[in-house]
Every structure is written in C-alpha cells, then in structure tokens.
C-alpha cells in the first residue's frame, strides 16, 4: 500500500465521528509498521481523546519506529485533552504523514514544527483536498467564529416545496428523509422561521436511534410561537432558542418558564438581523446550522450572506400551480447577475430522489 492508501483508511476512520465531535473537527489516524496496519482510530466525541492518542493507546503492539497517518495536523496545546504531539514524540513514532494543516491559531503549523524539532519526520499534504473536505464546518467556524449554515430543502422536479394548498408531506421518499435525519445529527443547530412552526408544528429533532438532536433555533421576530407548539412543550428535553426582537419581560417569561432560551436580536428590514444572530450563536459554541426554513427565511438568509452550502433534494414529481410555494421566495432579484451563485455540485441518487449538494460562491446581491 502507498501513503495515499493509508490516508484513505484514516479518512474513513474520521467519518465515524460525524455529529459527535462538534465543534471539534473529525479526525482519523492510522498506525503503520513494516508495511502493516497495526492500529487505527478516530476522535469519538467532543471533550474526549483525539484520534492520534486513541490510535496509540489502543494499539497492542510495539509502536517504536512506526509511521502515523493523520487527516489533520496534530494539536500541540493543552485544551480539554493533552496535546497529541506529546504522546507521538513519547511513543517513538519515526514519521508522521499529515493530510491537512490545522487553521486553529493554537496549532497553525505548530504541531508539525514541534514534531520535527523532536526528530520526528513530517510529510504534509497527503490527500489534502480529501482531508480538508471532511471538515468545512470546522475550517469555517475556527476562522470566522460564526456557524456554517447549510440551506436544506426538498422540492419537486418543477421547483415546488408544497402544493397550491400548502400540503408538503411527503415530497421525497423514505430514504431521502432518513438522509435528512442524519444531517440533523451532523450539524449542531437546526433553524426555521416562526411561519414553519405555525404551519407544521414540527419537532425538529433527529429521529434516528443513537444519534444526536440539534439545538432548535426559531427565528421569531415578534414572538408569535404558540406556547403549545412542539418546540416549546419539549424545550426541557431538546435545547430550544427563540431568536426575537421582543424584549418585554412579561412576554418572554412564559417561554423561559417552559425551558426555552431567549436570544434578543436587533431588527433589520422588518425581521431579526441574521448576521447578528450568527455572531451570537457562534459565541454560544454553535458551529453549524441546518436551515430548514420556508421560502421567506431562505431568501433572507441568502440576502444576508450567511448561507455557505445548499442541500437540494429533488423528487420525481410535478406539482404545477402559480400559487405553489418555491424554496426561495422574498423579493427576488431584478436581473440574473444579482443571483446567488452556487458551485462545486455533488450529485447522488437516494432512493427515488436526487440530492445535489452545492457550495455557495456568492449570495444575493441587492436590487
């Protein structure tokens, strides 16, 4: 096997931590000695040991003289756990292959440098693009301190998210809906507008056993969420944040008594300032958000420039109807060059449906 082959094994290990490690990155590590894999592991959960330490501690063989393949530069600072460089040096590993470098200012090349200073040979850039693609959330959050926002919607082949009567269950098939549940586990927060709460009374939880439910964020400028709504009634079970411009203590008290958290945000163009909201959520440690809003919130999110990626599910159905809802409504742009631009599509078939994942190249330009 070649270095790229061992790094691919490390990438597969890293993926096992998806949804459990946030706001840390997913990282995998593989130990190789005399051309044989003698150990491999990954970062299991936030606050627990990192991949390198797990792989070393759980290896039942003599590690001295081995090579280590790791998808992200080893940390060199004390945080919730000791630095990985420390155990790598102590274990007698002779060479470390690194996939991508860590932009965290506490690391940022320091890990590789510390290893080299202690006589460990270091080679970087092994499958760098693939390793970086593991952690777009981490790279964005560590550099901007705001959540990585993924706008998700399901639509028919003619671009409708509901019929003319507002009916939307179900547009996509069971396999696609399960994939959405995994996205809810993957990202730390899920965000909708109060209109979605009023229309659908959703639970906004991950319904797959053993996976994590995200923090629920309701954009509710004037605090119209019903006290009997699912998100309020279950606020003591699943963290729920109401982002609102309302400051009156008497109006917010019932929600707080029900277990909701109130996040006061200033208004912009008649609704809460989404950029300000992202800063406040980032300060709370929320590194990523799955935006499952309706057309109005989706438009506002694109207009404010907070959307980083799009998950678009396309069902093999045609609804028609001038009044049938579309994924992005709002004011809309006047000219094509004002559009939100998407790039780097990834396409896959899920059951009978198609999922297209895009990166956002540029958000809407104002008319």
């Amino acid at each position: 096997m070649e270095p790229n082959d061992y790094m691919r094994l490390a990438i597969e290990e890293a993926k096992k931590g998806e949804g459990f490690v946030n706001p840390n990155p997913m990282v995998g590590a593989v130990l190789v000695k005399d051309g044989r894999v003698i150990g491999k592991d990954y970062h299991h959960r936030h606050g627990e040991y990192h991949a390198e330490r797990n792989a070393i501690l759980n290896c039942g063989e003599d590690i001295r003289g081995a090579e280590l393949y790791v998808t992200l530069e080893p940390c060199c600072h004390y945080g919730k756990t000791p630095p990985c460089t420390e155990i790598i040096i102590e274990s007698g590993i002779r060479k470390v292959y690194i996939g991508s470098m860590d932009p965290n200012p506490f690391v940022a090349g320091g890990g590789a440098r510390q290893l080299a200073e202690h006589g460990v040979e270091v080679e970087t850039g092994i499958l760098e693009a693939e390793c970086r693609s593991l952690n777009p959330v981490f790279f964005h959050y560590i550099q901007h301190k705001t959540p990585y926002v993924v706008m998700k919607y399901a639509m028919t082949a003619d671009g409708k998210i509901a019929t003319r009567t507002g009916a939307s269950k179900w547009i996509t098939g069971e396999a696609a809906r399960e994939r959405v549940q995994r996205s809810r586990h993957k990202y730390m927060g899920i965000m909708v507008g109060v209109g979605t709460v009023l229309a659908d009374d959703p639970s906004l939880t991950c319904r797959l056993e053993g996976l994590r439910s995200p923090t629920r964020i309701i954009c509710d400028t004037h605090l119209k969420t019903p006290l009997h709504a699912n998100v309020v009634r279950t606020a003591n079970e699943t963290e729920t944040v109401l982002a609102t411009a309302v400051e009156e203590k008497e109006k917010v008290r019932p929600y707080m008594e029900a277990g909701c958290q109130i996040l006061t945000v200033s208004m912009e163009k008649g609704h809460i300032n989404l950029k300000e909201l992202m800063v406040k959520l980032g300060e709370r440690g929320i590194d990523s958000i799955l935006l499952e809003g309706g057309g109005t919130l989706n438009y506002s999110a694109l207009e404010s420039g907070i959307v980083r990626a799009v998950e678009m599910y396309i069902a093999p159905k045609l609804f028609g109807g001038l009044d049938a809802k579309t994924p992005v409504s709002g004011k809309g742009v006047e000219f094509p060059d004002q559009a939100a631009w998407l790039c780097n599509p990834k396409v896959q078939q899920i059951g009978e449906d198609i999922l297209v994942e895009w990166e956002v190249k540029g958000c809407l330009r104002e008319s």
Side-chain angles (χ1 to χ4, degrees):
M1 293 176 67
E2 299 297 323
N4 284 3
D5 299 315
Y6 294 122
M7 190 60 78
R8 286 192 182 95
L9 290 178
I11 289 172
E12 291 307 308
E13 285 294 307
K15 292 176 181 177
K16 297 176 183 178
E18 182 178 85
F20 294 109
V21 300
N22 307 59
N24 282 0
M26 291 183 285
V27 182
V30 172
L31 284 164
V32 177
K33 188 173 183 180
D34 299 326
R36 184 171 57 90
V37 175
I38 61 172
K40 57 183 179 178
D41 218 314
Y42 64 101
H43 182 30
H44 291 216
R45 202 175 283 270
H46 178 248
E48 297 181 1
Y49 284 155
H50 294 177
E52 305 93 316
R53 190 171 289 269
N54 281 334
I56 291 169
L57 292 177
N58 295 327
C59 180
E61 301 190 31
D62 182 7
I63 297 174
R64 287 174 296 178
E67 298 174 339
L68 173 68
Y69 291 79
V70 60
T71 57
L72 186 69
E73 180 186 8
C75 65
C76 54
H77 65 287
Y78 281 88
K80 291 182 179 294
T81 60
C84 292
T85 51
E86 184 178 274
I87 195 170
I88 291 170
I89 294 165
E90 292 173 351
S91 67
I93 289 172
R94 71 172 186 84
K95 185 171 183 177
V96 175
Y97 293 86
I98 297 173
S100 59
M101 302 302 284
D102 191 340
N104 187 335
F106 288 108
V107 186
R113 184 167 55 252
Q114 189 176 105
L115 291 173
E117 288 172 351
H118 285 81
V120 179
E121 189 178 348
V122 176
E123 186 171 337
T124 63
I126 310 300
L127 293 185
E128 182 175 6
E130 291 91 330
C131 290
R132 281 189 63 86
S133 69
L134 283 169
N135 293 298
V137 168
F138 172 73
F139 285 108
H140 173 84
Y141 183 67
I142 204 71
Q143 292 172 316
H144 300 281
K145 307 302 182 186
T146 57
Y148 184 89
V149 178
V150 178
M151 186 171 76
K152 187 280 298 181
Y153 56 84
M155 69 180 191
T156 61
D158 58 341
K160 308 297 184 181
I161 62 171
T163 67
R164 61 181 176 82
T165 65
S168 60
K169 294 184 178 179
W170 294 103
I171 290 178
T172 54
E174 187 174 335
R177 297 200 298 274
E178 180 175 328
R179 173 63 164 71
V180 171
Q181 295 300 311
R182 294 191 177 278
S183 288
R184 290 184 177 187
H185 161 76
K186 178 179 180 179
Y187 301 112
M188 288 188 76
I190 183 169
M191 189 166 79
V192 301
V194 66
T196 296
V197 174
L198 293 172
D200 302 332
D201 194 21
S203 295
L204 303 178
T205 55
C206 177
R207 295 187 288 273
L208 299 180
E209 187 176 353
L211 300 188
R212 181 193 57 80
S213 286
T215 295
R216 302 178 297 198
I217 303 149
I218 315 302
C219 295
D220 188 356
T221 305
H222 304 292
L223 212 52
K224 295 181 178 179
T225 298
L227 289 170
H228 59 77
N230 273 321
V231 291
V232 178
R233 290 189 298 103
T234 60
N236 284 319
E237 302 166 17
T238 303
E239 187 174 38
T240 304
V241 176
L242 297 179
T244 181
V246 174
E247 298 185 65
E248 294 91 333
K249 291 182 180 179
E250 289 303 313
K251 196 166 183 179
V252 303
R253 181 177 289 116
Y255 297 98
M256 296 180 68
E257 290 175 348
C260 297
Q261 299 176 32
I262 302 296
L263 193 56
T264 306
V265 185
S266 66
M267 286 182 62
E268 181 183 53
K269 297 183 179 179
H271 55 74
I272 60 171
N273 186 319
L274 292 176
K275 281 189 175 180
E276 180 184 323
L277 174 60
M278 292 305 106
V279 171
K280 292 190 173 185
L281 292 173
E283 290 171 348
R284 288 172 168 240
I286 295 178
D287 71 348
S288 52
I289 291 173
L290 185 65
L291 175 60
E292 290 197 15
T296 300
L297 181 57
N298 286 347
Y299 180 82
S300 296
L302 286 167
E303 189 179 35
S304 66
I306 67 170
V307 182
R308 304 270 68 84
V310 174
E311 289 185 0
M312 177 179 68
Y313 292 85
I314 307 172
K317 302 174 183 177
L318 300 169
F319 283 175
L322 288 173
D323 297 326
K325 296 180 179 179
T326 58
V328 182
S329 55
K331 181 181 177 182
V333 300
E334 293 183 9
F335 304 102
D337 64 358
Q338 295 170 336
W341 287 87
L342 310 178
C343 62
N344 299 328
K346 297 178 183 177
V347 183
Q348 60 178 304
Q349 185 163 350
I350 302 180
E352 61 186 9
D353 306 302
I354 294 172
L355 169 62
V356 185
E357 298 175 88
W358 307 83
E359 294 176 19
V360 175
K361 183 177 181 181
C363 281
L364 293 172
R365 292 169 54 192
E366 291 189 8
S367 303

